[in-house]
Structures are given as C-alpha cells and as structure tokens.
Amino acid sequence: MSEQLILKSLSSQGVATITLNRPNIFNGYNEEFLIQLQGTISELESDTSVRVITLRGAGKHFSAGADVNWFKELAISTPEVQLAAARLSTGVMRALNNCKVPTIAMIHNACFGGGTGYAAACDIVIASEDARFAITEVRVGITPAPIMIELINAIGVRQMRRYALTAETFDVREAKAIGLVHEICAVGSLDVAAAPIIDQLLRGGPKAIRDTKALIAEVGDSLLPDEEVEKMARISAAGRSTPEGIEGFQAFLEKRSPNWYLMDE
C-alpha cells in the first residue's frame, strides 16, 4: 500500500481539505505525490457534495517546492522520463487551476518554487504573517514553466518579470501587495481567517458558483490550450539537460554558488 502523501477530509457542510503530507521534507513533491494530488483534486471536484476545497501543508511549512531527491533521479533519467515528469507537474497545476470547485490556499511559513504555483492556482489565498515566498527555479538553471501561466494570472506580467527573474524571497505583505495573497492573518490563525470566507462561499448557489468560476476562466482567457500546456512541459523537461540546468542543480546539492555567479574579488 502506497504512503498517503496527500490527505483529504470532508465536513458536513461540504468543505473539503487537501493536506500536503510530506512534512519531513517540507511537503516537497515527487512523482507519487503529484499523482496522488491530481487524483484527489479530480475526485473532489467530481463530488457534487463538495462546495469548497482548502489546500494546506502539514508540519512547519506549506511547501518548499520539489523534492530534491526526485530532482536527483530526474537529472540522470532519460529525456522521455524527464518529459513525463514535466507533463505531470504541469498537469497538476492545470488541474488545480481549472478545478470546478472554489479553492482556498492556506499558506504558512515557506512557500517556494512549485509551492507558489499551488497558491497562484487557487482562487483565494490566505497567508499567516510568517509566510515567505520565492519563485526559485532560475537559481538552479531551469525555468518555472509548469507554474508560469498560474503565476502570471495571479501577479501579472510586470511582477513576474521581477520575481521569476531574481528568484528573491519576499514576505507576506509584498505577496499581498502584488496580488498573490488576498488576506493576511496572525500565525496559527489560518482557520479563523478562512471561516468567514468559506461562509460567504457557502451562501452562493453551488451550481451558480461553479458556472461563474468557469465563466471567469473563459472570459479572462486563463485556460491554456493543450498545445500550450505541452509546450510548457517540454520547456521544463529540456531545461534539466542544459549545461546551466546540470550545473545549477549540482551547485545546489553541493551548497555552493553556480559557475555563472562571479563574485567581486
């Protein structure tokens, strides 16, 4: 029996909770994690009794992005395996972004790399005051292709041009200022902060809310066609085999600066 990397629960009101459950590695994702997450999203949105989905992370952090050990495996895998992994990553973000049910991301502490993609793909984001964010991919010589469309839709092209290029860490107040976060709450108060928002969602007609969410995506032109999703996956996969991708990841593992970062003498 496979380990439960994704936990789910459903309240009597129809509020589902998805919990990223790899706290020992800060909820980093690997292949099995993404497969379970995609399956859980599909199962919950197909259940007409589900009115709202909340997404949270177990343990100290929301999500630090990808599992380094998985990246180690991918670094020495065939191009076919790398492409399959990129398709899976891109597909999960798309599934969360296109979920028919309203989604609320509940962020605490670290939200890095793919974690920012989860946040951007959700309809509403609540973050506690200790939350920190970073779109980290370029630091290891790859692009954030699997989360690109979700982040651009959330923070806009202008902010994406800064934070995806610098990979700098920014705090929760900056995240709110640029549109990634809707509400800030005290540390440990995510459930309290989410309660009135969930209540407002439950007051709307379930079908009307699903239809409205679908219409927003259609009119707002935030739904990527299949060929664009495939393009993002191929860009992501190809990046792992470039000299920069190999050097960037090796430098990360060795806890040193990559060879493209030349410090002043």
mmCIF file of all heavy atoms in Angstrom, residues 74-75 77-79 82 141-142 235-247:
data_model
loop_
_atom_site.group_PDB
_atom_site.id
_atom_site.type_symbol
_atom_site.label_atom_id
_atom_site.label_comp_id
_atom_site.label_asym_id
_atom_site.label_seq_id
_atom_site.Cartn_x
_atom_site.Cartn_y
_atom_site.Cartn_z
ATOM 1 N N LEU A 74 15.771 12.552 -11.599
ATOM 2 C CA LEU A 74 15.472 13.079 -12.935
ATOM 3 C C LEU A 74 16.735 13.534 -13.657
ATOM 4 O O LEU A 74 16.821 13.440 -14.882
ATOM 5 C CB LEU A 74 14.486 14.237 -12.831
ATOM 6 C CG LEU A 74 13.057 13.872 -12.430
ATOM 7 C CD1 LEU A 74 12.210 15.127 -12.245
ATOM 8 C CD2 LEU A 74 12.412 12.959 -13.477
ATOM 9 N N ALA A 75 17.703 14.014 -12.900
ATOM 10 C CA ALA A 75 18.934 14.522 -13.514
ATOM 11 C C ALA A 75 19.674 13.452 -14.295
ATOM 12 O O ALA A 75 20.389 13.757 -15.258
ATOM 13 C CB ALA A 75 19.843 15.112 -12.436
ATOM 14 N N SER A 77 18.001 10.689 -15.534
ATOM 15 C CA SER A 77 16.985 9.912 -16.261
ATOM 16 C C SER A 77 17.043 10.193 -17.749
ATOM 17 O O SER A 77 17.711 11.132 -18.204
ATOM 18 C CB SER A 77 15.593 10.252 -15.721
ATOM 19 O OG SER A 77 15.464 9.880 -14.375
ATOM 20 N N THR A 78 16.318 9.404 -18.506
ATOM 21 C CA THR A 78 16.236 9.598 -19.952
ATOM 22 C C THR A 78 15.378 10.823 -20.265
ATOM 23 O O THR A 78 14.566 11.253 -19.425
ATOM 24 C CB THR A 78 15.593 8.376 -20.623
ATOM 25 O OG1 THR A 78 14.233 8.266 -20.165
ATOM 26 C CG2 THR A 78 16.357 7.111 -20.288
ATOM 27 N N PRO A 79 15.527 11.398 -21.442
ATOM 28 C CA PRO A 79 14.678 12.526 -21.827
ATOM 29 C C PRO A 79 13.186 12.186 -21.761
ATOM 30 O O PRO A 79 12.362 13.044 -21.429
ATOM 31 C CB PRO A 79 15.119 12.813 -23.266
ATOM 32 C CG PRO A 79 16.530 12.351 -23.328
ATOM 33 C CD PRO A 79 16.580 11.128 -22.450
ATOM 34 N N GLN A 82 12.122 12.448 -18.147
ATOM 35 C CA GLN A 82 12.098 13.864 -17.766
ATOM 36 C C GLN A 82 10.867 14.563 -18.333
ATOM 37 O O GLN A 82 10.233 15.375 -17.657
ATOM 38 C CB GLN A 82 13.374 14.558 -18.239
ATOM 39 C CG GLN A 82 14.623 14.089 -17.501
ATOM 40 C CD GLN A 82 15.895 14.700 -18.050
ATOM 41 O OE1 GLN A 82 15.903 15.315 -19.116
ATOM 42 N NE2 GLN A 82 16.999 14.521 -17.334
ATOM 43 N N GLY A 141 19.115 26.992 -12.589
ATOM 44 C CA GLY A 141 19.324 26.939 -14.030
ATOM 45 C C GLY A 141 18.183 26.394 -14.856
ATOM 46 O O GLY A 141 18.393 25.940 -15.979
ATOM 47 N N ILE A 142 16.949 26.440 -14.323
ATOM 48 C CA ILE A 142 15.786 25.988 -15.093
ATOM 49 C C ILE A 142 14.715 27.079 -15.080
ATOM 50 O O ILE A 142 14.836 28.078 -14.365
ATOM 51 C CB ILE A 142 15.197 24.660 -14.553
ATOM 52 C CG1 ILE A 142 14.752 24.814 -13.101
ATOM 53 C CG2 ILE A 142 16.221 23.536 -14.692
ATOM 54 C CD1 ILE A 142 14.063 23.574 -12.542
ATOM 55 N N ILE A 235 9.489 22.610 -22.389
ATOM 56 C CA ILE A 235 10.487 23.595 -21.970
ATOM 57 C C ILE A 235 11.060 23.208 -20.614
ATOM 58 O O ILE A 235 12.272 23.259 -20.380
ATOM 59 C CB ILE A 235 9.863 25.004 -21.915
ATOM 60 C CG1 ILE A 235 9.564 25.503 -23.338
ATOM 61 C CG2 ILE A 235 10.788 25.982 -21.182
ATOM 62 C CD1 ILE A 235 8.777 26.798 -23.382
ATOM 63 N N SER A 236 10.181 22.805 -19.705
ATOM 64 C CA SER A 236 10.620 22.404 -18.371
ATOM 65 C C SER A 236 11.545 21.193 -18.432
ATOM 66 O O SER A 236 12.609 21.166 -17.797
ATOM 67 C CB SER A 236 9.399 22.089 -17.499
ATOM 68 O OG SER A 236 9.793 21.636 -16.229
ATOM 69 N N ALA A 237 11.160 20.190 -19.204
ATOM 70 C CA ALA A 237 11.962 18.973 -19.303
ATOM 71 C C ALA A 237 13.314 19.241 -19.944
ATOM 72 O O ALA A 237 14.353 18.758 -19.473
ATOM 73 C CB ALA A 237 11.202 17.916 -20.104
ATOM 74 N N ALA A 238 13.316 20.033 -21.005
ATOM 75 C CA ALA A 238 14.561 20.305 -21.720
ATOM 76 C C ALA A 238 15.561 21.052 -20.854
ATOM 77 O O ALA A 238 16.781 20.855 -20.963
ATOM 78 C CB ALA A 238 14.268 21.101 -22.991
ATOM 79 N N GLY A 239 15.069 21.886 -19.953
ATOM 80 C CA GLY A 239 15.954 22.691 -19.116
ATOM 81 C C GLY A 239 16.844 21.877 -18.196
ATOM 82 O O GLY A 239 17.941 22.304 -17.835
ATOM 83 N N ARG A 240 16.403 20.683 -17.829
ATOM 84 C CA ARG A 240 17.179 19.869 -16.901
ATOM 85 C C ARG A 240 18.459 19.327 -17.539
ATOM 86 O O ARG A 240 19.401 18.988 -16.836
ATOM 87 C CB ARG A 240 16.336 18.694 -16.394
ATOM 88 C CG ARG A 240 15.109 19.130 -15.664
ATOM 89 C CD ARG A 240 14.386 17.963 -15.021
ATOM 90 N NE ARG A 240 13.099 18.386 -14.509
ATOM 91 C CZ ARG A 240 12.921 19.084 -13.403
ATOM 92 N NH1 ARG A 240 13.974 19.433 -12.689
ATOM 93 N NH2 ARG A 240 11.722 19.442 -13.004
ATOM 94 N N SER A 241 18.479 19.240 -18.865
ATOM 95 C CA SER A 241 19.626 18.657 -19.551
ATOM 96 C C SER A 241 20.584 19.696 -20.114
ATOM 97 O O SER A 241 21.602 19.347 -20.703
ATOM 98 C CB SER A 241 19.136 17.752 -20.698
ATOM 99 O OG SER A 241 18.314 16.721 -20.194
ATOM 100 N N THR A 242 20.280 20.974 -19.937
ATOM 101 C CA THR A 242 21.177 22.013 -20.426
ATOM 102 C C THR A 242 22.375 22.138 -19.497
ATOM 103 O O THR A 242 22.325 21.741 -18.331
ATOM 104 C CB THR A 242 20.450 23.374 -20.492
ATOM 105 O OG1 THR A 242 20.113 23.779 -19.156
ATOM 106 C CG2 THR A 242 19.211 23.298 -21.351
ATOM 107 N N PRO A 243 23.482 22.701 -19.987
ATOM 108 C CA PRO A 243 24.627 22.920 -19.105
ATOM 109 C C PRO A 243 24.267 23.711 -17.850
ATOM 110 O O PRO A 243 24.750 23.410 -16.760
ATOM 111 C CB PRO A 243 25.606 23.688 -20.001
ATOM 112 C CG PRO A 243 25.271 23.230 -21.388
ATOM 113 C CD PRO A 243 23.772 23.059 -21.391
ATOM 114 N N GLU A 244 23.416 24.717 -18.000
ATOM 115 C CA GLU A 244 23.013 25.514 -16.835
ATOM 116 C C GLU A 244 22.179 24.694 -15.858
ATOM 117 O O GLU A 244 22.344 24.806 -14.641
ATOM 118 C CB GLU A 244 22.235 26.758 -17.269
ATOM 119 C CG GLU A 244 23.102 27.884 -17.722
ATOM 120 C CD GLU A 244 22.354 29.202 -17.872
ATOM 121 O OE1 GLU A 244 21.171 29.274 -17.486
ATOM 122 O OE2 GLU A 244 22.964 30.156 -18.390
ATOM 123 N N GLY A 245 21.259 23.901 -16.399
ATOM 124 C CA GLY A 245 20.429 23.077 -15.534
ATOM 125 C C GLY A 245 21.254 22.079 -14.743
ATOM 126 O O GLY A 245 21.038 21.876 -13.546
ATOM 127 N N ILE A 246 22.228 21.460 -15.404
ATOM 128 C CA ILE A 246 23.089 20.476 -14.738
ATOM 129 C C ILE A 246 23.971 21.152 -13.697
ATOM 130 O O ILE A 246 24.079 20.707 -12.550
ATOM 131 C CB ILE A 246 23.948 19.732 -15.784
ATOM 132 C CG1 ILE A 246 23.041 18.895 -16.707
ATOM 133 C CG2 ILE A 246 24.989 18.859 -15.104
ATOM 134 C CD1 ILE A 246 23.743 18.349 -17.928
ATOM 135 N N GLU A 247 24.602 22.269 -14.082
ATOM 136 C CA GLU A 247 25.471 22.991 -13.160
ATOM 137 C C GLU A 247 24.682 23.577 -11.995
ATOM 138 O O GLU A 247 25.114 23.522 -10.835
ATOM 139 C CB GLU A 247 26.215 24.106 -13.903
ATOM 140 C CG GLU A 247 26.854 25.178 -13.021
ATOM 141 C CD GLU A 247 27.924 24.656 -12.071
ATOM 142 O OE1 GLU A 247 28.385 23.509 -12.230
ATOM 143 O OE2 GLU A 247 28.302 25.400 -11.150
#
